[in-house]
Amino acid sequence: MRNWIVGVVFALGLAGPSFGQGDEIKGVISSQIEAFQSDDFSTAFTFASPSIQLMFRTPDNFGRMVSQGFPMVWRPSDVEYLGLRQDRGTLVQRIKVTDADGRLHVLDYFMVETADGWKINGVEFVKQDDLNV
């Protein structure tokens, strides 16, 4: 019986992201959003993965992209963390953001673990017909 319980606990641990990872990932996303709200693009840029940093090259380029392409993340009125899931080997944190005008947006944050901790490797809008919130 004891071996069966240990096996179930072990299997559940392999089934999905751990609670610790979820807390770390939420912390990274929250910290980046806080930096955006202060227009501190240099700090916000540090939460982006190396490939995102390479793509945008400078914090100012990155900040322009976010303020123009993701204004609800740049100036949210509310952020709610939904599910954390694994998708083809990548951890994806879904969030619901209310923008300054009260409109709701659902976004998937694609995360990557680096030597410096979890980083944001991309953000996508979730289409209305893909919502499972």
Side-chain angles (χ1 to χ4, degrees):
M1 179 70 165
R2 182 171 180 256
N3 288 340
W4 181 81
I5 292 171
V6 170
V8 169
V9 170
F10 181 72
L12 288 174
L14 295 177
S18 74
F19 291 114
Q21 287 174 323
D23 290 343
E24 290 176 46
I25 287 169
K26 288 176 187 175
V28 168
I29 295 168
S30 293
S31 295
Q32 188 182 61
I33 290 172
E34 287 174 20
F36 285 140
Q37 290 176 312
S38 302
D39 288 334
D40 184 355
F41 298 126
S42 293
T43 297
F45 198 53
T46 67
F47 298 106
S49 70
S51 61
I52 297 296
Q53 290 180 2
L54 185 62
M55 182 185 312
F56 290 100
R57 300 183 195 211
T58 70
D60 288 336
N61 289 341
F62 181 66
R64 260 190 305 281
M65 180 277 299
V66 171
S67 64
Q68 293 171 7
F70 295 89
M72 74 292 301
V73 173
W74 179 52
R75 293 291 188 265
S77 67
D78 188 49
V79 176
E80 181 182 341
Y81 290 86
L82 304 174
L84 176 64
R85 70 183 190 283
Q86 198 164 32
D87 184 6
R88 291 171 269 156
T90 299
L91 288 182
V92 182
Q93 175 66 60
R94 183 162 285 183
I95 69 169
K96 181 170 60 173
V97 179
T98 305
D99 67 19
D101 295 325
R103 291 184 301 252
L104 294 177
H105 307 270
V106 179
L107 303 161
D108 279 343
Y109 274 70
F110 296 85
M111 306 301 294
V112 62
E113 192 169 22
T114 70
D116 296 324
W118 287 100
K119 301 291 182 176
I120 300 165
N121 199 39
V123 177
E124 288 184 358
F125 290 99
V126 177
K127 297 176 197 164
Q128 186 75 23
D129 52 339
D130 291 337
L131 284 178
N132 291 328
V133 294

